[in-house]
Structures are given as C-alpha cells and as structure tokens.
Amino acid sequence: MSIAKLTPLDQLGWLAEQPKEFMNWASEIGRWRRYGAGQFVYQAGDPSDGIYGLADGSLEITFPLVAEEPVSVYRAEVGFWIGDAAELASVPRIVSLMAATESRLLHLEYR
C-alpha cells in the first residue's frame, strides 16, 4: 500500500502529522477493515490488537458503567484514531468501539 492509499488519513488527524518514514511503515503494515452500522470493532475487556484510524463513516465509543449497561461517551468522525492506550499499556480494552454508520478503518497491528 502506498502513502496515497492511506487517504484521507494521510491528510488529517494523527497520521497526517507523522514523518514520511512512519507513513510509509503504516502503508506497509496497515490493513483496511470495513464494518457495518452497529458492528463492534472491539468490546471492553478484549485484548488489544493494535490501533484503528477512521477513514470513512463514524464510530461510537461506549464505556460499561453499571450492570454491563454501556454509556456512550464519544461519537468519532473521520481522522480519529483509537487503541493506543490499551496497546501501549498492554492491558485489555477499557471501552467498546462500534461502527455507528458503515465505516472503513485502517488497522495498524504492532505485533
């Protein structure tokens, strides 16, 4: 995958601010994933498997508070990245991530 194939993430958000060498690395290891509206990318408690960048669609982030009932805490738009906290700390996910609409995400797996 060339840097051009990272569009729009090479032009906005966290990835756009990285050095060209890092973007080249991301274009080599990154894998595009598609999710339908209402489909979970991951759930709280799941093991970390890398980070995700939103290229198309929107995401809903929920946090399980009481009796496993999730509370929506954020609605993410294109250019948003998530997953770094669990990945860098080597801990399970503390939030759930769901596609609010049909979405396309770039998955960067560290391992």
Side-chain angles (χ1 to χ4, degrees):
M1 178 184 322
S2 71
I3 290 178
K5 292 186 179 177
L6 294 175
T7 301
L9 297 175
D10 63 332
Q11 299 167 8
L12 62 109
W14 167 78
L15 187 60
E17 299 170 2
Q18 302 311 307
K20 185 175 180 180
E21 295 78 18
F22 185 86
M23 281 201 264
N24 285 332
W25 174 81
S27 72
E28 289 176 21
I29 70 145
R31 299 291 177 257
W32 288 110
R33 295 185 176 184
R34 293 189 178 275
Y35 296 88
Q39 185 178 1
F40 280 97
V41 178
Y42 57 76
Q43 295 188 33
D46 286 350
S48 179
D49 67 346
I51 63 174
Y52 293 84
L54 179 59
D56 294 305
S58 61
L59 300 170
E60 183 173 353
I61 300 167
T62 59
F63 186 79
L65 287 180
V66 179
E68 298 184 24
E69 185 161 328
V71 173
S72 181
V73 293
Y74 189 72
R75 182 81 173 241
E77 302 296 331
V78 173
F80 179 78
W81 285 85
I82 190 167
D84 53 315
E87 187 64 27
L88 295 173
S90 297
V91 297
R93 305 289 188 181
I94 61 169
V95 296
S96 296
L97 182 65
M98 180 181 70
T101 61
E102 239 182 75
S103 300
R104 183 173 62 109
L105 288 83
L106 182 66
H107 179 229
L108 301 180
E109 185 176 1
Y110 291 144
R111 295 171 194 151

